[in-house]
Amino acid sequence: MNVVEIINEAVATGRTRFAFELLPPLKGDGMQKIFAAVEPLMDFDPAYVNITFHREGIKETEREDGSIEWHVVRRRPGTVGISAAIQHRYGVEVVPHLICGGLSKYDIEDTLIDMDFLGLHNVLALRGDKSQNEKRFMPHPQGHSHAVDLVRQIADMNRGKFIDGEVEECHHSKFSIGVAGYPEVHAEARDITSDIIRLKDKIDAGAEYVVTQMFFDNRKYFDFVRRCREAGIGVPIIPGIKPISTLRHLEILPETFGVELPEELVREAKAHPDDVREVGTEWAIAQSRELMAAGVPVLHYYTMSRTTNIQKIVNTIF
């Protein structure tokens, strides 16, 4: 059963499920930390697990003569392998992320073929962030500039169409394609209207569901869904929830993701600096309960691969 089927089943039965997102480990780390994050949540029957994809970074090395040498490095490789390992070990559907940044269309095609061979039939298609040495996002010379182009490539592959058209009769992949949506508007969008038009383009290209960027005020999610429906977007829109866990999150989350933190949440966190994780967990529980009452099919939790707070949330509400 792929993700869109899981979502549709949750809608049909009126039973809200949950999913969570993990980062691949840093290069050189093993799988044990990932398994330790996943295993306690299996008792709560997650709908699926997402694994993020990270583009290349830049490493600076000083030569003996004092000049600087730059190296391209991948600090968190292994998205596809980790996804397959989790799916095989726990029997849960896994959604690897796939990005445009740093990859050619041929790299993407090869990755999709590997995923298909490994039994991974779900993918979250994203443009990805700019590289750390770029002022703005720059696509690979043989790659995609926008997530909609990546969605088209995946949808084409599902129809048996490859980049060079060299395969006439073939096994067809059956990827369920998800994309991202932004209740508080993508940082590069002109406004919410144009942002939703771009989202509809991705749906029209073949995406079957939307996962939202994190938000901390449910009114922003409900307004976003309303706007999407008015724009003709009828696919499921899965809310993304991020429990804050440190005082640093009060600064870094708005700065990095362009989200607004409610004054009440900020005030509570600052009033209890030693218990910020608990404050964030309770806020996420309240968010989750309201969203469940509204009938959302799946709650998507952002974890940064630390899941003790997610364990408390799902133990409380599921």
Side-chain angles (χ1 to χ4, degrees), residues 275-314:
D275 296 308
V276 174
R277 193 172 184 84
E278 184 66 22
V279 170
T281 298
E282 291 301 321
W283 188 273
I285 287 171
Q287 273 192 278
S288 299
R289 282 177 166 154
E290 183 178 28
L291 291 164
M292 289 176 72
V296 301
V298 177
L299 300 170
H300 178 101
Y301 294 104
Y302 295 100
T303 74
M304 299 298 288
S305 296
R306 299 180 183 90
T307 63
T308 52
N309 51 357
I310 308 303
Q311 293 169 40
K312 179 171 182 179
I313 292 167
V314 298

mmCIF file of all heavy atoms in Angstrom, residues 275-314:
data_model
loop_
_atom_site.group_PDB
_atom_site.id
_atom_site.type_symbol
_atom_site.label_atom_id
_atom_site.label_comp_id
_atom_site.label_asym_id
_atom_site.label_seq_id
_atom_site.Cartn_x
_atom_site.Cartn_y
_atom_site.Cartn_z
ATOM 1 N N ASP A 275 12.567 23.907 30.864
ATOM 2 C CA ASP A 275 11.533 22.953 30.443
ATOM 3 C C ASP A 275 10.986 23.282 29.058
ATOM 4 O O ASP A 275 9.814 23.033 28.769
ATOM 5 C CB ASP A 275 10.377 22.953 31.458
ATOM 6 C CG ASP A 275 10.827 22.455 32.821
ATOM 7 O OD1 ASP A 275 11.426 21.373 32.881
ATOM 8 O OD2 ASP A 275 10.576 23.163 33.811
ATOM 9 N N VAL A 276 11.834 23.836 28.196
ATOM 10 C CA VAL A 276 11.375 24.226 26.861
ATOM 11 C C VAL A 276 10.861 23.018 26.087
ATOM 12 O O VAL A 276 9.853 23.097 25.379
ATOM 13 C CB VAL A 276 12.512 24.914 26.075
ATOM 14 C CG1 VAL A 276 12.079 25.195 24.636
ATOM 15 C CG2 VAL A 276 12.920 26.207 26.760
ATOM 16 N N ARG A 277 11.533 21.887 26.215
ATOM 17 C CA ARG A 277 11.113 20.686 25.492
ATOM 18 C C ARG A 277 9.696 20.280 25.903
ATOM 19 O O ARG A 277 8.884 19.886 25.059
ATOM 20 C CB ARG A 277 12.100 19.547 25.751
ATOM 21 C CG ARG A 277 11.949 18.357 24.808
ATOM 22 C CD ARG A 277 13.094 17.361 25.025
ATOM 23 N NE ARG A 277 13.041 16.261 24.089
ATOM 24 C CZ ARG A 277 13.530 16.289 22.864
ATOM 25 N NH1 ARG A 277 14.118 17.385 22.417
ATOM 26 N NH2 ARG A 277 13.444 15.238 22.070
ATOM 27 N N GLU A 278 9.406 20.396 27.182
ATOM 28 C CA GLU A 278 8.065 20.063 27.668
ATOM 29 C C GLU A 278 7.036 21.063 27.150
ATOM 30 O O GLU A 278 5.921 20.687 26.752
ATOM 31 C CB GLU A 278 8.062 20.049 29.196
ATOM 32 C CG GLU A 278 6.742 19.632 29.828
ATOM 33 C CD GLU A 278 6.374 18.181 29.537
ATOM 34 O OE1 GLU A 278 7.280 17.378 29.228
ATOM 35 O OE2 GLU A 278 5.178 17.857 29.608
ATOM 36 N N VAL A 279 7.394 22.339 27.144
ATOM 37 C CA VAL A 279 6.497 23.375 26.615
ATOM 38 C C VAL A 279 6.182 23.101 25.146
ATOM 39 O O VAL A 279 5.023 23.154 24.716
ATOM 40 C CB VAL A 279 7.136 24.776 26.768
ATOM 41 C CG1 VAL A 279 6.324 25.828 25.995
ATOM 42 C CG2 VAL A 279 7.234 25.163 28.241
ATOM 43 N N GLY A 280 7.219 22.780 24.371
ATOM 44 C CA GLY A 280 7.023 22.493 22.955
ATOM 45 C C GLY A 280 6.188 21.256 22.721
ATOM 46 O O GLY A 280 5.356 21.211 21.796
ATOM 47 N N THR A 281 6.390 20.250 23.559
ATOM 48 C CA THR A 281 5.620 19.013 23.434
ATOM 49 C C THR A 281 4.139 19.265 23.715
ATOM 50 O O THR A 281 3.261 18.799 22.973
ATOM 51 C CB THR A 281 6.173 17.942 24.389
ATOM 52 O OG1 THR A 281 7.533 17.653 24.030
ATOM 53 C CG2 THR A 281 5.357 16.664 24.324
ATOM 54 N N GLU A 282 3.850 19.995 24.776
ATOM 55 C CA GLU A 282 2.454 20.287 25.121
ATOM 56 C C GLU A 282 1.777 21.131 24.046
ATOM 57 O O GLU A 282 0.598 20.929 23.735
ATOM 58 C CB GLU A 282 2.384 20.994 26.482
ATOM 59 C CG GLU A 282 2.769 20.097 27.661
ATOM 60 C CD GLU A 282 1.887 18.864 27.767
ATOM 61 O OE1 GLU A 282 0.663 18.981 27.528
ATOM 62 O OE2 GLU A 282 2.415 17.781 28.072
ATOM 63 N N TRP A 283 2.524 22.059 23.462
ATOM 64 C CA TRP A 283 1.960 22.882 22.392
ATOM 65 C C TRP A 283 1.615 22.000 21.190
ATOM 66 O O TRP A 283 0.547 22.138 20.588
ATOM 67 C CB TRP A 283 2.956 23.971 21.984
ATOM 68 C CG TRP A 283 2.383 24.972 21.030
ATOM 69 C CD1 TRP A 283 2.338 24.893 19.653
ATOM 70 C CD2 TRP A 283 1.759 26.215 21.370
ATOM 71 N NE1 TRP A 283 1.734 25.985 19.123
ATOM 72 C CE2 TRP A 283 1.369 26.828 20.148
ATOM 73 C CE3 TRP A 283 1.503 26.874 22.576
ATOM 74 C CZ2 TRP A 283 0.733 28.075 20.106
ATOM 75 C CZ3 TRP A 283 0.873 28.109 22.530
ATOM 76 C CH2 TRP A 283 0.488 28.690 21.317
ATOM 77 N N ALA A 284 2.518 21.079 20.844
ATOM 78 C CA ALA A 284 2.287 20.177 19.713
ATOM 79 C C ALA A 284 1.110 19.234 19.983
ATOM 80 O O ALA A 284 0.357 18.887 19.062
ATOM 81 C CB ALA A 284 3.551 19.375 19.407
ATOM 82 N N ILE A 285 0.941 18.819 21.230
ATOM 83 C CA ILE A 285 -0.205 17.974 21.579
ATOM 84 C C ILE A 285 -1.507 18.740 21.351
ATOM 85 O O ILE A 285 -2.472 18.217 20.773
ATOM 86 C CB ILE A 285 -0.103 17.495 23.042
ATOM 87 C CG1 ILE A 285 1.002 16.430 23.175
ATOM 88 C CG2 ILE A 285 -1.441 16.946 23.537
ATOM 89 C CD1 ILE A 285 1.333 16.049 24.606
ATOM 90 N N ALA A 286 -1.537 19.997 21.786
ATOM 91 C CA ALA A 286 -2.741 20.821 21.591
ATOM 92 C C ALA A 286 -3.014 21.035 20.104
ATOM 93 O O ALA A 286 -4.168 20.936 19.648
ATOM 94 C CB ALA A 286 -2.571 22.157 22.309
ATOM 95 N N GLN A 287 -1.968 21.323 19.335
ATOM 96 C CA GLN A 287 -2.130 21.458 17.888
ATOM 97 C C GLN A 287 -2.704 20.185 17.282
ATOM 98 O O GLN A 287 -3.628 20.216 16.469
ATOM 99 C CB GLN A 287 -0.774 21.730 17.231
ATOM 100 C CG GLN A 287 -0.351 23.176 17.155
ATOM 101 C CD GLN A 287 0.848 23.343 16.233
ATOM 102 O OE1 GLN A 287 1.993 23.127 16.646
ATOM 103 N NE2 GLN A 287 0.590 23.717 14.988
ATOM 104 N N SER A 288 -2.121 19.057 17.693
ATOM 105 C CA SER A 288 -2.514 17.766 17.121
ATOM 106 C C SER A 288 -3.974 17.452 17.413
ATOM 107 O O SER A 288 -4.714 16.976 16.541
ATOM 108 C CB SER A 288 -1.620 16.657 17.679
ATOM 109 O OG SER A 288 -0.260 16.883 17.353
ATOM 110 N N ARG A 289 -4.402 17.704 18.635
ATOM 111 C CA ARG A 289 -5.786 17.409 19.005
ATOM 112 C C ARG A 289 -6.775 18.237 18.188
ATOM 113 O O ARG A 289 -7.813 17.726 17.736
ATOM 114 C CB ARG A 289 -5.979 17.665 20.508
ATOM 115 C CG ARG A 289 -5.421 16.537 21.378
ATOM 116 C CD ARG A 289 -5.559 16.854 22.837
ATOM 117 N NE ARG A 289 -5.344 15.644 23.645
ATOM 118 C CZ ARG A 289 -4.912 15.658 24.910
ATOM 119 N NH1 ARG A 289 -4.662 16.812 25.509
ATOM 120 N NH2 ARG A 289 -4.736 14.531 25.561
ATOM 121 N N GLU A 290 -6.457 19.503 17.989
ATOM 122 C CA GLU A 290 -7.360 20.357 17.208
ATOM 123 C C GLU A 290 -7.408 19.892 15.752
ATOM 124 O O GLU A 290 -8.482 19.862 15.133
ATOM 125 C CB GLU A 290 -6.904 21.814 17.277
ATOM 126 C CG GLU A 290 -7.848 22.755 16.545
ATOM 127 C CD GLU A 290 -7.439 24.210 16.642
ATOM 128 O OE1 GLU A 290 -6.234 24.491 16.796
ATOM 129 O OE2 GLU A 290 -8.327 25.085 16.545
ATOM 130 N N LEU A 291 -6.263 19.511 15.199
ATOM 131 C CA LEU A 291 -6.216 19.043 13.813
ATOM 132 C C LEU A 291 -6.948 17.712 13.660
ATOM 133 O O LEU A 291 -7.651 17.484 12.674
ATOM 134 C CB LEU A 291 -4.763 18.917 13.362
ATOM 135 C CG LEU A 291 -4.014 20.253 13.204
ATOM 136 C CD1 LEU A 291 -2.512 20.019 13.144
ATOM 137 C CD2 LEU A 291 -4.491 21.008 11.964
ATOM 138 N N MET A 292 -6.793 16.831 14.654
ATOM 139 C CA MET A 292 -7.523 15.559 14.618
ATOM 140 C C MET A 292 -9.026 15.801 14.655
ATOM 141 O O MET A 292 -9.793 15.154 13.939
ATOM 142 C CB MET A 292 -7.090 14.677 15.791
ATOM 143 C CG MET A 292 -5.690 14.119 15.667
ATOM 144 S SD MET A 292 -5.184 13.171 17.119
ATOM 145 C CE MET A 292 -6.181 11.695 16.934
ATOM 146 N N ALA A 293 -9.448 16.734 15.504
ATOM 147 C CA ALA A 293 -10.878 17.038 15.611
ATOM 148 C C ALA A 293 -11.429 17.585 14.299
ATOM 149 O O ALA A 293 -12.616 17.414 13.993
ATOM 150 C CB ALA A 293 -11.108 18.050 16.739
ATOM 151 N N ALA A 294 -10.555 18.214 13.519
ATOM 152 C CA ALA A 294 -10.966 18.752 12.220
ATOM 153 C C ALA A 294 -10.957 17.690 11.133
ATOM 154 O O ALA A 294 -11.345 17.962 9.996
ATOM 155 C CB ALA A 294 -10.051 19.909 11.823
ATOM 156 N N GLY A 295 -10.483 16.484 11.481
ATOM 157 C CA GLY A 295 -10.551 15.373 10.547
ATOM 158 C C GLY A 295 -9.377 15.206 9.612
ATOM 159 O O GLY A 295 -9.500 14.547 8.577
ATOM 160 N N VAL A 296 -8.200 15.773 9.949
ATOM 161 C CA VAL A 296 -7.048 15.567 9.060
ATOM 162 C C VAL A 296 -6.678 14.075 9.062
ATOM 163 O O VAL A 296 -6.773 13.407 10.090
ATOM 164 C CB VAL A 296 -5.832 16.426 9.472
ATOM 165 C CG1 VAL A 296 -6.184 17.897 9.454
ATOM 166 C CG2 VAL A 296 -5.283 16.019 10.819
ATOM 167 N N PRO A 297 -6.266 13.525 7.927
ATOM 168 C CA PRO A 297 -6.016 12.087 7.862
ATOM 169 C C PRO A 297 -4.707 11.648 8.487
ATOM 170 O O PRO A 297 -4.605 10.551 9.022
ATOM 171 C CB PRO A 297 -6.024 11.796 6.357
ATOM 172 C CG PRO A 297 -5.650 13.096 5.721
ATOM 173 C CD PRO A 297 -6.212 14.167 6.607
ATOM 174 N N VAL A 298 -3.670 12.510 8.401
ATOM 175 C CA VAL A 298 -2.345 12.162 8.920
ATOM 176 C C VAL A 298 -1.716 13.405 9.523
ATOM 177 O O VAL A 298 -1.853 14.514 8.982
ATOM 178 C CB VAL A 298 -1.426 11.613 7.801
ATOM 179 C CG1 VAL A 298 -0.018 11.324 8.348
ATOM 180 C CG2 VAL A 298 -2.001 10.352 7.173
ATOM 181 N N LEU A 299 -1.024 13.242 10.642
ATOM 182 C CA LEU A 299 -0.207 14.294 11.240
ATOM 183 C C LEU A 299 1.257 13.949 10.972
ATOM 184 O O LEU A 299 1.706 12.851 11.288
ATOM 185 C CB LEU A 299 -0.453 14.384 12.749
ATOM 186 C CG LEU A 299 -1.884 14.689 13.185
ATOM 187 C CD1 LEU A 299 -2.019 14.509 14.699
ATOM 188 C CD2 LEU A 299 -2.281 16.103 12.784
ATOM 189 N N HIS A 300 1.978 14.897 10.395
ATOM 190 C CA HIS A 300 3.380 14.672 10.014
ATOM 191 C C HIS A 300 4.275 15.411 11.011
ATOM 192 O O HIS A 300 4.200 16.639 11.119
ATOM 193 C CB HIS A 300 3.619 15.207 8.595
ATOM 194 C CG HIS A 300 5.018 15.077 8.098
ATOM 195 N ND1 HIS A 300 5.407 14.078 7.228
ATOM 196 C CD2 HIS A 300 6.128 15.821 8.327
ATOM 197 C CE1 HIS A 300 6.694 14.214 6.951
ATOM 198 N NE2 HIS A 300 7.139 15.265 7.603
ATOM 199 N N TYR A 301 5.130 14.666 11.718
ATOM 200 C CA TYR A 301 5.994 15.273 12.741
ATOM 201 C C TYR A 301 7.437 15.379 12.259
ATOM 202 O O TYR A 301 8.024 14.402 11.794
ATOM 203 C CB TYR A 301 5.946 14.453 14.036
ATOM 204 C CG TYR A 301 4.599 14.471 14.711
ATOM 205 C CD1 TYR A 301 3.747 13.377 14.634
ATOM 206 C CD2 TYR A 301 4.165 15.604 15.397
ATOM 207 C CE1 TYR A 301 2.492 13.397 15.241
ATOM 208 C CE2 TYR A 301 2.919 15.632 16.007
ATOM 209 C CZ TYR A 301 2.087 14.529 15.927
ATOM 210 O OH TYR A 301 0.852 14.565 16.515
ATOM 211 N N TYR A 302 7.992 16.583 12.415
ATOM 212 C CA TYR A 302 9.404 16.820 12.125
ATOM 213 C C TYR A 302 10.208 16.522 13.388
ATOM 214 O O TYR A 302 9.912 17.082 14.452
ATOM 215 C CB TYR A 302 9.620 18.269 11.687
ATOM 216 C CG TYR A 302 8.948 18.608 10.376
ATOM 217 C CD1 TYR A 302 7.722 19.282 10.340
ATOM 218 C CD2 TYR A 302 9.539 18.248 9.178
ATOM 219 C CE1 TYR A 302 7.115 19.583 9.127
ATOM 220 C CE2 TYR A 302 8.934 18.542 7.958
ATOM 221 C CZ TYR A 302 7.719 19.221 7.946
ATOM 222 O OH TYR A 302 7.113 19.510 6.744
ATOM 223 N N THR A 303 11.219 15.654 13.268
ATOM 224 C CA THR A 303 11.882 15.169 14.482
ATOM 225 C C THR A 303 13.351 15.518 14.604
ATOM 226 O O THR A 303 13.893 15.475 15.695
ATOM 227 C CB THR A 303 11.800 13.630 14.568
ATOM 228 O OG1 THR A 303 12.704 13.049 13.627
ATOM 229 C CG2 THR A 303 10.390 13.133 14.332
ATOM 230 N N MET A 304 14.059 15.783 13.505
ATOM 231 C CA MET A 304 15.519 15.919 13.527
ATOM 232 C C MET A 304 16.173 14.662 14.111
ATOM 233 O O MET A 304 17.248 14.705 14.704
ATOM 234 C CB MET A 304 15.944 17.150 14.348
ATOM 235 C CG MET A 304 15.428 18.461 13.796
ATOM 236 S SD MET A 304 16.036 18.854 12.145
ATOM 237 C CE MET A 304 17.741 19.250 12.500
ATOM 238 N N SER A 305 15.479 13.526 13.960
ATOM 239 C CA SER A 305 15.948 12.192 14.380
ATOM 240 C C SER A 305 16.004 12.009 15.890
ATOM 241 O O SER A 305 16.584 11.044 16.378
ATOM 242 C CB SER A 305 17.315 11.866 13.752
ATOM 243 O OG SER A 305 17.198 11.795 12.340
ATOM 244 N N ARG A 306 15.381 12.922 16.648
ATOM 245 C CA ARG A 306 15.242 12.732 18.095
ATOM 246 C C ARG A 306 13.745 12.587 18.354
ATOM 247 O O ARG A 306 12.989 13.531 18.155
ATOM 248 C CB ARG A 306 15.822 13.916 18.865
ATOM 249 C CG ARG A 306 17.307 14.134 18.623
ATOM 250 C CD ARG A 306 17.822 15.323 19.419
ATOM 251 N NE ARG A 306 19.223 15.581 19.155
ATOM 252 C CZ ARG A 306 19.664 16.393 18.199
ATOM 253 N NH1 ARG A 306 18.802 17.042 17.437
ATOM 254 N NH2 ARG A 306 20.964 16.577 18.014
ATOM 255 N N THR A 307 13.325 11.421 18.825
ATOM 256 C CA THR A 307 11.893 11.131 18.824
ATOM 257 C C THR A 307 11.274 10.974 20.210
ATOM 258 O O THR A 307 10.110 10.598 20.309
ATOM 259 C CB THR A 307 11.622 9.848 18.008
ATOM 260 O OG1 THR A 307 12.275 8.728 18.630
ATOM 261 C CG2 THR A 307 12.104 9.986 16.581
ATOM 262 N N THR A 308 11.989 11.273 21.277
ATOM 263 C CA THR A 308 11.392 11.076 22.605
ATOM 264 C C THR A 308 10.157 11.963 22.794
ATOM 265 O O THR A 308 9.168 11.536 23.400
ATOM 266 C CB THR A 308 12.416 11.357 23.716
ATOM 267 O OG1 THR A 308 13.004 12.655 23.507
ATOM 268 C CG2 THR A 308 13.517 10.300 23.710
ATOM 269 N N ASN A 309 10.215 13.203 22.275
ATOM 270 C CA ASN A 309 9.036 14.070 22.405
ATOM 271 C C ASN A 309 7.895 13.579 21.515
ATOM 272 O O ASN A 309 6.721 13.668 21.894
ATOM 273 C CB ASN A 309 9.387 15.528 22.108
ATOM 274 C CG ASN A 309 10.126 15.727 20.801
ATOM 275 O OD1 ASN A 309 10.456 14.774 20.092
ATOM 276 N ND2 ASN A 309 10.411 16.980 20.463
ATOM 277 N N ILE A 310 8.217 13.030 20.362
ATOM 278 C CA ILE A 310 7.172 12.486 19.482
ATOM 279 C C ILE A 310 6.524 11.268 20.148
ATOM 280 O O ILE A 310 5.308 11.065 20.050
ATOM 281 C CB ILE A 310 7.742 12.103 18.112
ATOM 282 C CG1 ILE A 310 8.517 13.275 17.509
ATOM 283 C CG2 ILE A 310 6.612 11.664 17.179
ATOM 284 C CD1 ILE A 310 7.732 14.551 17.359
ATOM 285 N N GLN A 311 7.317 10.474 20.846
ATOM 286 C CA GLN A 311 6.772 9.323 21.572
ATOM 287 C C GLN A 311 5.728 9.789 22.583
ATOM 288 O O GLN A 311 4.657 9.180 22.714
ATOM 289 C CB GLN A 311 7.886 8.568 22.294
ATOM 290 C CG GLN A 311 8.890 7.884 21.364
ATOM 291 C CD GLN A 311 10.095 7.384 22.111
ATOM 292 O OE1 GLN A 311 9.987 6.857 23.220
ATOM 293 N NE2 GLN A 311 11.266 7.534 21.534
ATOM 294 N N LYS A 312 6.009 10.869 23.302
ATOM 295 C CA LYS A 312 5.059 11.366 24.299
ATOM 296 C C LYS A 312 3.801 11.899 23.623
ATOM 297 O O LYS A 312 2.678 11.649 24.103
ATOM 298 C CB LYS A 312 5.702 12.475 25.141
ATOM 299 C CG LYS A 312 4.728 13.033 26.172
ATOM 300 C CD LYS A 312 5.392 13.980 27.153
ATOM 301 C CE LYS A 312 4.372 14.468 28.181
ATOM 302 N NZ LYS A 312 4.971 15.375 29.182
ATOM 303 N N ILE A 313 3.980 12.595 22.501
ATOM 304 C CA ILE A 313 2.832 13.160 21.794
ATOM 305 C C ILE A 313 1.897 12.054 21.330
ATOM 306 O O ILE A 313 0.687 12.076 21.605
ATOM 307 C CB ILE A 313 3.289 14.010 20.598
ATOM 308 C CG1 ILE A 313 4.018 15.264 21.092
ATOM 309 C CG2 ILE A 313 2.097 14.413 19.715
ATOM 310 C CD1 ILE A 313 4.781 16.007 20.015
ATOM 311 N N VAL A 314 2.447 11.057 20.630
ATOM 312 C CA VAL A 314 1.572 10.021 20.062
ATOM 313 C C VAL A 314 1.017 9.114 21.167
ATOM 314 O O VAL A 314 -0.101 8.592 21.039
ATOM 315 C CB VAL A 314 2.302 9.187 18.981
ATOM 316 C CG1 VAL A 314 2.718 10.097 17.819
ATOM 317 C CG2 VAL A 314 3.507 8.456 19.525
#
